[in-house]
Each structure stands twice: as C-alpha cells, then as structure tokens.
Amino acid sequence: MKNLRRYWGRLLIIAAAVSAMLSGCKTEIPLVSEIKETKLYTLPQSMIILATERNKYQQLYTSQIWGVELPGGQTFETYLMDQVREFLQEMKMMNLLAESKGVTLTSGEKEEIRKAAEEYYNSLTPDDIAYMGVSQSDVRFMYEEYRLSNKVVVELTRDMNLEISDSEAKVIDVEEIVMSDKAAAEDVLLKLKEQGADFSAIAREYSENGVIERKMGRGEQPGALEDAAFSLAGGEISQVTESQGKYYIIRCVSDYDEAATQERKSGLYTSRKKEAFDQIYAQFKQDNPVTFGNNIWKDLTFSKDDKTTTTSFFEIYKKYFTD
C-alpha cells in the first residue's frame, strides 16, 4: 500500500503544492457562519479525475483491484474515491484562495486551456464519454480550476525570501570506514597513513558497513561527523571521529558535487516553501471552514465491463503548462 500511496501522491499536486500568503493578510472568504455548504464539482467534472486514476490503476493491476480489502475493511475502490474527493476539495479550496487574493487567469492561459481541453476531449472514445458523461466545457472548466490552483501557489510565494545557498545545499562525495571499537579504528588509521595505502581496499576489509562510497549533504549528519567530513579537501582523510557509538574514518573524494548540490538545492527550496504553506494554509482552512456536498457519488461503482480507458488528463496539461 505504501507504493500505491506514493503513486497517488504524484497526482495530488494541489495537496502537496507549496503556497503562502503574506503574514498578517486577512482573507475575504466569508467564515463558516456565512457559508454553510459550497458546491464542489458536478459528477461529470469529478469523473474526469476519477476516471483518469481509476484507469491508471486498472491498467496496472486489472479490475480485480477494486475488490481488494484494505485495513479497516475498506476496499480499494472506496479508498480511491475518497482520495479523489480529497483532491477535488483541496483544488476547490485553492480556487477560493485565488479568488480572495485576486489571482486570475490571463487571456493567454485561457487560450492554452482551450487548446488543452480540445486535445483531451478529442482523445476520448465514445465509451470514455459515456462513462464520464462529460462535455468539452466540463473539461475546459476543470483545466481552468487546476491551472488556477497551481497558479495561486506561484503568485502567493513569488515575493517570499526562501532561497537556498549553495553552501546550505552542498553535497560532497566521501568514502568511509565505520567501526565499533575505537582502538581498532585508530590502528586502521595508521594503516591508511602508510605510503601507498589504498583507502577503498582497506575500507572493504575493515569497515562494518558494506557501503563504502556515499554522498553527504550539509545538515544531514550529526554535528561531529558533519564537521569532520566538510572540513576535508578532496583526497584528505579525517581523524577517527566518534558519532552515536560508532567510529568513523572519512576520505573526501570530492569536496563539491555540483550536480548533486543543485538537485538538493531545488529539493530544499521546495521543502521550505511547503513548510511555509503548511502553516499558513492550515490556518486559512481553519479560519474559513467550508462544507462540500458529497452525495453525487453515492451510487457509483467500478465494473470490469466499464470500457473507459482515458488516462491523459494530467499529461496533456503538462504539455501546455510547466508550473
């Protein structure tokens, strides 16, 4: 199930997206005392997302997956429907946020959406259309909602100072020897200091860890171990360093892995923005609770006889918007 959850996580761009509002700004969305229930999406509009994910899973695991029982007695069918509802609710909340902040689509974006909707609708088979009950205007509307929910992320984080320096993201390449006995580690260090000593060969002989070479990012290791590793220039070997009951000897292979550093820098930037979003968006939802009607799917079930095959809604979106 963990793999399936990770697969679904790729889809939940809105829930995993990063956004933030300037601290202290007040939303213009009425509070729960003023909004009792908000319309979510029609069944055909919702079916665009549900059919996309339903078909991806069925292609991977066959229709037998819908009867698989999960912990708690829930079937995979009901689990997927719950996940789609959660996705749609998050997307609607992001659109409400965009509305409150005056974030709108440009004429250029609307034209790209028109083309994406036309391409997607033309890719549908008669069976797809019959299963979803969808029109081209439904597709266009869902692309507008999806685009705006992603755009509000960009707009509300544009002026936030969340940059990551190369030093903060720095990644180095090391070889290391890990031992449980300090005296034995000191003896190995003496061997390493002998002329012509081969660190890799000695590491394979004495290290208790089968992994000799690895990348190390700034801030990922306990203090003493990080200090020892990041103080080395390429080719240098550390002293015996104790960390969490183990003794390490580190050789710096490269004191700056540029490609790995830039990749980590990007990941840290995304994480930092997400952390900002998690706090602000949680407060936004708390201050602006909304109830969504969810009765439209009460009689919906999956069947092996459903001949729908469409899976391209998000792929076509990515052709027109890189986000």
Side-chain angles (χ1 to χ4, degrees):
M1 283 309 304
K2 290 183 178 180
N3 288 335
L4 294 177
R5 290 178 184 273
R6 285 198 293 270
Y7 176 79
W8 178 257
R10 177 186 58 78
L11 168 64
L12 296 182
I13 295 176
I14 309 308
V18 289
S19 71
M21 296 173 288
L22 296 177
S23 178
C25 289
K26 295 178 63 178
T27 79
E28 299 172 5
I29 296 178
L31 298 179
V32 68
S33 59
E34 301 169 6
I35 291 185
K36 299 301 183 182
E37 183 170 326
T38 295
K39 180 180 178 181
L40 192 53
Y41 298 104
T42 66
L43 181 57
Q45 291 164 358
S46 303
M47 286 297 294
I48 294 171
I49 308 301
L50 184 61
T52 296
E53 293 309 300
R54 178 257 197 202
N55 292 339
K56 287 179 180 177
Y57 280 115
Q58 185 154 296
Q59 287 176 12
L60 284 171
Y61 302 107
T62 77
S63 60
Q64 293 180 353
I65 191 174
W66 309 125
V68 173
E69 289 194 8
L70 306 179
Q74 186 181 32
T75 66
F76 192 80
E77 176 181 347
T78 57
Y79 164 77
L80 181 60
M81 289 184 184
D82 286 346
Q83 293 298 300
V84 170
R85 278 194 292 267
E86 181 181 337
F87 170 79
L88 293 173
Q89 288 169 3
E90 291 291 338
M91 186 164 73
K92 180 58 73 175
M93 285 298 294
M94 293 298 285
N95 273 259
L96 292 175
L97 174 58
E99 181 181 354
S100 74
K101 293 298 179 180
V103 179
T104 60
L105 299 176
T106 67
S107 58
E109 287 172 315
K110 289 181 180 179
E111 175 59 18
E112 293 300 290
I113 285 171
R114 185 196 65 78
K115 291 188 287 187
E118 182 177 0
E119 179 177 345
Y120 175 76
Y121 191 78
N122 288 340
S123 74
L124 299 178
T125 67
D127 288 322
D128 291 329
I129 295 173
Y131 180 72
M132 294 187 287
V134 68
S135 68
Q136 189 166 330
S137 62
D138 289 322
V139 177
R140 184 168 61 252
F141 179 75
M142 292 303 281
Y143 273 135
E144 288 175 349
E145 294 279 290
Y146 189 60
R147 174 58 185 165
L148 193 55
S149 61
N150 281 278
K151 183 176 181 177
V152 72
V153 170
V154 176
E155 295 300 316
L156 297 184
T157 59
R158 188 181 301 279
D159 297 327
M160 297 185 69
N161 183 16
L162 302 172
E163 291 300 323
I164 307 292
S165 67
D166 280 359
S167 175
E168 186 177 356
K170 186 177 181 180
V171 176
I172 62 176
D173 297 300
V174 301
E175 293 180 322
E176 64 182 7
I177 298 171
V178 185
M179 303 183 72
S180 300
D181 183 84
K182 183 177 181 180
E186 294 285 2
D187 289 341
V188 170
L189 181 60
L190 292 176
K191 293 180 181 293
L192 292 169
K193 291 181 178 180
E194 295 175 0
Q195 186 174 2
D198 185 329
F199 188 98
S200 298
I202 294 174
R204 286 192 293 272
E205 181 177 355
Y206 291 98
S207 181
E208 298 171 6
N209 189 341
V211 178
I212 306 301
E213 298 182 16
R214 68 186 181 102
K215 297 183 185 297
M216 186 181 295
R218 177 78 74 178
E220 293 180 342
Q221 303 299 321
L225 192 59
E226 176 174 307
D227 291 344
F230 280 84
S231 66
L232 301 173
E236 292 183 341
I237 297 174
S238 73
Q239 298 298 310
V240 174
T241 302
E242 189 275 335
S243 179
Q244 299 180 340
K246 296 289 185 178
Y247 297 91
Y248 294 79
I249 305 171
I250 302 167
R251 176 178 177 269
C252 179
V253 178
S254 169
D255 58 12
Y256 180 64
D257 186 324
E258 182 175 4
T261 296
Q262 294 307 310
E263 181 179 355
R264 185 165 184 261
K265 185 176 181 179
S266 176
L268 289 173
Y269 178 70
T270 298
S271 296
R272 181 171 292 182
K273 292 179 74 176
K274 185 180 184 302
E275 288 173 6
F277 162 76
D278 285 344
Q279 296 179 16
I280 297 171
Y281 187 52
Q283 187 65 50
F284 172 79
K285 292 203 292 185
Q286 179 179 323
D287 293 343
N288 301 276
V290 174
T291 299
F292 296 109
N294 279 327
N295 293 327
I296 58 175
W297 292 353
K298 61 181 180 180
D299 298 322
L300 180 65
T301 59
F302 295 159
S303 167
K304 65 181 180 180
D305 296 323
D306 298 330
K307 296 181 175 59
T308 176
T309 57
T310 180
T311 60
S312 62
F313 180 82
F314 295 102
E315 284 72 14
I316 289 176
Y317 173 87
K318 290 175 184 177
K319 287 177 59 177
Y320 293 90
F321 300 101
T322 59
D323 291 322

